[in-house]
Every structure is written in structure tokens, then in C-alpha cells.
Amino acid sequence: GGANVESALIFAALIQDESGNIYAAGSATNSDGASVWKWDGNSWSQLGGNVTTANAFRSIMQDESGNIYAAGT
């Protein structure tokens, strides 16, 4: 269920939070920039929108407060 992430993103980095959610960062296959997606065990949801000033996210991390950060080119 959820968004069609399979055709929307090439994953470059993954992390898992303490609740078991998976966060995936990478590049949009439609050349609309970089994006981050969350898998909650049932469905995918995009965090924010595509970042058109970046080509691809290459890394992802979570801080002590649970904020997600992605970096790339």
C-alpha cells in the first residue's frame, strides 16, 4: 500500500528508528531531485517533497531527538 515508491526512487541509504520504521533516501527516477521515504511496516510515505536542488541523497541519519537528515549532491 501507500505511495508507489518502487518507481519513484533509487535507494542509496537506509536507516531504521527505534520504533522499527525504515527511512530510505536516494534519487527520484523521474529526475525531479532527491527524496526521503518512510516505511512504517504497512505503507510508504514521502517525507516532505522532492528536493530539486539536489540530484541524489547519498546518506541519511537520525539525531537523538528523532529528526531525520539526508545529505547528497
Side-chain angles (χ1 to χ4, degrees), residues 26 28 31-36 46-57 70 73:
S31 300
D32 282 343
S35 57
V36 176
Q46 187 175 14
L47 302 182
N50 287 347
V51 178
T52 58
T53 56
N55 293 325
F57 288 135
T73 59

Side-chain angles (χ1 to χ4, degrees), residues 31-44:
S31 300
D32 282 343
S35 57
V36 176
W37 292 78
K38 175 184 174 183
W39 173 255
D40 64 8
N42 295 305
S43 64
W44 287 101

Side-chain angles (χ1 to χ4, degrees), residues 2 7 9 14-15 19-21 24 26 31-33 39 45-46 53 56-57 61 63-64:
S7 65
L9 189 68
L14 299 169
I15 60 168
S19 299
N21 298 306
S31 300
D32 282 343
W39 173 255
S45 59
Q46 187 175 14
T53 56
F57 288 135
M61 64 156 300
D63 68 16
E64 293 174 0

